[in-house]
Amino acid sequence: MFAKILIANRGEIACRVIRTARRMGVRTVAVYSDADAGALHVEMADEAVHIGPSPVGESYLRGDKIVAAALATGAEAIHPGYGFLSENPDFVDQVTAAGLVFIGPSAASIRAMGLKDAAKRLMEKAGVPVVPGYHGEAQEIVLLASKAREIGYPVLIKARAGGGGKGMRRVEHPDDFSEALSGARREAKAAFGDDRVLVEKYVDKPRHIEVQVFGDIFGNVVHLYERDCSAQRRHQKVIEEAPAPGMTPALRKAMTEAAVKAAKAIDYSGAGTIEFIVDASQGLKADRFWFMEMNTRLQVEHPVTEMVTGTDLVEWQLRVASGEKLPKTQSEIALSGHAFEARIYAEDAAKGFLPATGTLHHLKFPDTAPEGASMRIETGVRTGDAISPFYDPMIAKLVVHGKNRQAALEALGISLSQTEIAGSTVNTAFLAALAADADFSAGDVDTGLIGRHQQALTAVPPPSSEIVAAAALAASGAGAQAPTRDPWSSLAGYAHFHAMARRTRLRYGEDDILALVSMRPDGRFQVALDAPYDSALDLRAAPRLARWPGHVTVFSGAVGHSFAVPDPLARADEIAAGADSLRAPMPGLVKLVRAAKGETVIKGQPLLILEAMKMEHTISATHDGTIAEIATEGAQVTDGTVLVRFAEEAHG
């Protein structure tokens, strides 16, 4: 076994690897960028090496710096985690050329599966079923469009490199093909440095079911059953589970055998995942699944497999990479119970899942698992950490296990309702709504479920009068000099003839709320609110809430209602953008400008494309009008930057 390894990653996966390495007595070296100097993975590791500025291209994607850090610290092997350089065969060559061990598959195996088109041709030769489509080298738009017509619409354009939904577009009609292809190519180029694509038949009711495989250098390959990752938004996974709901013995046998066959075809060693698309329009059948791609690394959702098989896949990775045989044979790997993983992100689900930034002023996960269940939290952040625009905005993965799917699902809902996060917009309410969705609860899930139910799943209920009153009461005791002072006792004290009272102002979204808070002689608190809230409420107990600079967040189940608390001494300096301008919803890069100053545009017309978190977001006109100013291509903008300004006379 290795004495010391370097982890070429950050965040929750770096922390995850460190925990297992520590348990095994293996020392760890972390690497970090400027933005991560105070990160949790840096604190947890035995040593840490600075590798460059915050942008990934200058730090976490610099294989030369990472190899140099490993050599300088005496590390014997490098664990890539997932993302970044984990599936880069050139990096594997760098590692091995330096006399180090790459904790993962060989460069040859990664190359064989690294490009979706080549991988599918290889799988066809190996006898693994492949989605109907065009996987060739030629990339002329005329050829691709003709192939799409041959396949039959709808089709899916997919980047041949990378994953995570980047460089992917569904096309319903031939007239939309050219525009979709351009967008997919731009996004693929930005994310993977490769703008080549493949075109496939779009399956009407697709299930995304994948099989965890593991191989060693002695030619042994096993599977650890399947995971269902069909709950997706924008082609990115949201809640994963194992085993797949509704899985039949015949389909499981066919899929796992195909997965093992695929791994053996490339002499695979280490952790890998074979991803399949399954046509669920007529139920799960053994002849209705096709190979999509192989991820030659550990998956984000690997904890659900660990929960249902009782394994530690990171331990297996370290053992296999150090030259040991697989810890278990196929007959020794059994399924037990059911597990879910919910990805908690800093994002605004109600605004199309736009990534969010901010400081996590309050971060609290459940202390214990619900009765009859087990739970684990995978995170790389702590209270006070910032969500940076430079990296994926994942905050944590909440993983639960129960004796069956219903028990696990109930545990997931309870655990989400007990999670408290304040300081950034997060998706816990959306995750809880999805877990409670009737179709999802019944296991009737496909990759289009979230899209069909998105409005209901992302709707944020307005705060009740009780929640507003609780926020007002908390704000009434706020003080910049003592931000953690108990607001429930701040009004106690002597008052002659009448109850002490304090006038408080809050802002919720665009609404200003005025409240009069007083303490009654019997210890109750009375809060008088303006319409449309109840005129007067008596509060006896403190709800779940968090106070942070200039704000109060009150938690109701999985929903966190955040209220701004204006400083009464500060001069009002709010300039409303109104309908005269469009502002950046997040920090990003102006990738493409599609309109010009002086141009007359119509409502809904795309004006520019903003790239953030390696995804493209289209900014469209909110009304008919004439453009007075528009951002320039290549401009790096911050949250709230004016991107488009309309002439005042151009709207009504």
Side-chain angles (χ1 to χ4, degrees):
M1 181 50 60
F2 307 115
K4 182 188 291 187
I5 65 171
L6 180 142
I7 303 164
N9 218 297
R10 64 176 300 281
E12 59 89 15
I13 185 57
C15 296
R16 162 77 185 89
V17 174
I18 290 170
R19 284 193 295 271
T20 288
R22 180 181 294 160
R23 178 176 59 77
M24 296 176 66
V26 178
R27 292 178 62 80
T28 55
V29 180
V31 293
Y32 64 93
S33 68
D34 290 346
D36 282 339
L40 181 59
H41 75 280
V42 174
E43 178 183 293
M44 290 178 62
D46 297 297
E47 301 173 58
V49 178
H50 177 250
I51 55 171
S54 301
V56 295
E58 301 176 52
S59 51
Y60 295 107
L61 291 180
R62 287 291 300 272
D64 56 336
K65 291 186 176 182
I66 291 170
V67 169
L71 294 173
T73 55
E76 303 159 76
I78 294 179
H79 194 300
Y82 46 70
F84 295 143
L85 295 169
S86 63
E87 295 181 281
N88 186 319
D90 294 336
F91 176 62
V92 179
D93 288 338
Q94 279 184 286
V95 173
T96 55
L100 303 168
V101 175
F102 181 77
I103 302 176
S106 66
S109 293
I110 295 176
R111 286 191 174 98
M113 289 295 193
L115 299 176
K116 296 182 181 70
D117 52 356
K120 290 183 178 182
R121 292 194 294 270
L122 177 62
M123 290 298 98
E124 284 180 312
K125 292 180 181 178
V128 178
V130 173
V131 181
Y134 172 72
H135 310 128
E137 290 287 342
Q139 293 287 301
E140 292 81 6
I141 184 171
V142 174
L143 173 66
L144 294 176
S146 68
K147 292 295 183 182
R149 281 191 168 87
E150 290 177 15
I151 296 165
Y153 285 88
V155 298
L156 197 63
I157 300 173
K158 297 172 66 174
R160 73 170 195 162
K166 299 177 179 68
M168 188 179 295
R169 296 290 190 278
R170 176 181 174 176
V171 190
E172 297 283 350
H173 192 274
D175 292 346
D176 302 324
F177 187 84
S178 177
E179 180 75 12
L181 177 63
S182 297
R185 281 176 164 168
R186 283 194 307 271
E187 202 166 84
K189 185 70 173 179
F192 317 120
D194 185 345
D195 66 356
R196 286 169 289 183
V197 301
L198 48 87
V199 183
E200 293 180 342
K201 176 66 179 173
Y202 184 84
V203 179
D204 288 332
K205 191 175 182 182
R207 288 271 295 273
H208 182 136
I209 301 177
E210 59 190 33
V211 176
Q212 176 73 59
V213 294
F214 222 108
D216 62 24
I217 60 174
F218 304 99
N220 302 306
V221 177
V222 298
H223 70 80
L224 292 94
Y225 301 96
E226 80 282 352
R227 298 183 288 258
D228 194 304
C229 306
S230 301
Q232 301 179 9
R233 89 287 188 273
R234 298 175 63 175
H235 304 295
Q236 293 185 315
K237 300 166 186 176
V238 174
I239 295 180
E240 304 97 344
E241 59 182 302
M247 175 60 71
T248 65
L251 179 57
R252 175 173 288 145
K253 182 175 185 295
M255 291 185 73
T256 54
E257 287 179 353
V260 170
K261 185 186 296 184
K264 286 185 174 181
I266 57 171
D267 298 321
Y268 196 76
S269 177
T273 297
I274 311 297
E275 298 194 349
F276 296 101
I277 192 77
V278 182
D279 182 355
S281 59
Q282 299 177 5
L284 298 182
K285 296 184 178 181
D287 62 347
R288 302 294 290 170
F289 76 95
W290 302 280
F291 172 87
M292 284 199 303
E293 62 184 343
M294 181 178 187
N295 286 308
T296 52
R297 53 170 168 79
L298 198 65
Q299 291 279 86
V300 176
E301 59 272 20
H302 76 274
V304 294
T305 293
E306 294 181 324
M307 294 288 250
V308 297
T309 59
T311 57
D312 184 331
L313 295 180
V314 173
E315 178 181 341
W316 282 35
Q317 285 185 298
L318 296 181
R319 293 194 181 283
V320 166
S322 66
E324 297 182 22
K325 287 186 176 181
L326 287 173
K328 289 184 179 182
T329 63
Q330 190 65 68
S331 63
E332 294 174 314
I333 304 170
L335 279 173
S336 176
H338 203 99
F340 285 96
E341 174 185 283
R343 302 189 186 191
I344 300 175
Y345 276 94
E347 66 180 11
D348 194 336
K351 293 183 178 179
F353 303 102
L354 288 177
T357 56
T359 299
L360 301 174
H361 291 285
H362 179 82
L363 182 64
K364 183 177 183 295
F365 298 107
D367 296 325
T368 58
E371 185 177 356
S374 57
M375 176 189 67
R376 60 193 262 195
I377 303 293
E378 300 284 349
T379 187
V381 294
R382 303 147 297 187
T383 297
D385 284 351
I387 301 299
S388 165
F390 295 106
Y391 314 117
D392 184 87
M394 180 185 285
I395 295 173
K397 301 182 306 193
L398 191 156
V399 191
V400 296
H401 178 270
K403 62 181 180 180
N404 53 44
R405 189 175 190 272
Q406 184 58 38
L409 192 58
E410 290 176 1
L412 178 64
I414 292 171
S415 300
L416 285 168
S417 71
Q418 295 174 346
T419 298
E420 301 175 3
I421 304 173
S424 177
T425 303
V426 295
N427 68 339
T428 50
F430 161 70
L431 293 172
L434 177 59
D437 178 83
D439 288 344
F440 187 85
S441 297
D444 184 15
V445 59
D446 60 79
T447 59
L449 183 147
I450 290 176
R452 292 193 300 273
H453 300 185
Q454 185 166 331
Q455 185 172 356
L457 293 173
T458 59
V460 179
S464 66
S465 296
E466 289 74 13
I467 289 173
V468 176
L473 181 55
S476 69
Q481 75 282 5
T484 60
R485 191 175 65 202
D486 176 15
W488 306 95
S489 60
S490 63
L491 294 176
Y494 175 76
H496 196 52
F497 296 129
H498 58 82
M500 294 184 68
R502 181 172 297 175
R503 188 175 180 84
T504 299
R505 182 184 176 190
L506 301 171
R507 169 163 283 193
Y508 186 81
E510 298 299 319
D511 298 331
D512 284 317
I513 303 170
L514 295 177
L516 188 65
V517 182
S518 59
M519 183 174 185
R520 301 170 65 93
D522 61 2
R524 290 181 297 168
F525 299 96
Q526 187 175 75
V527 181
L529 301 169
D530 289 343
Y533 305 101
D534 294 346
S535 59
L537 298 98
D538 290 343
L539 300 178
R540 290 182 177 273
R544 297 159 53 219
L545 58 82
R547 300 173 63 208
W548 45 290
H551 295 80
V552 172
T553 298
V554 181
F555 301 100
S556 176
V559 181
H561 293 283
S562 291
F563 300 82
V565 183
D567 182 352
L569 300 179
R571 184 176 66 88
D573 190 25
E574 300 176 354
I575 303 174
D580 291 331
S581 62
L582 298 176
R583 294 177 181 266
M586 75 202 90
L589 174 73
V590 178
K591 190 72 174 181
L592 182 67
V593 175
R594 307 178 65 179
K597 180 178 179 180
E599 182 178 343
T600 299
V601 298
I602 61 173
K603 181 178 180 180
Q605 179 177 334
L607 303 181
L608 53 83
I609 293 175
L610 184 68
E611 181 187 280
M613 310 290 185
K614 296 300 182 183
M615 297 288 283
E616 291 187 352
H617 308 273
T618 300
I619 306 298
S620 301
T622 54
H623 54 76
D624 297 350
T626 301
I627 295 177
E629 297 178 36
I630 191 165
T632 57
E633 284 187 14
Q636 192 76 40
V637 298
T638 59
D639 185 11
T641 299
V642 174
L643 299 175
V644 180
R645 195 180 303 280
F646 294 96
E648 293 184 8
E649 70 279 5
H651 63 85

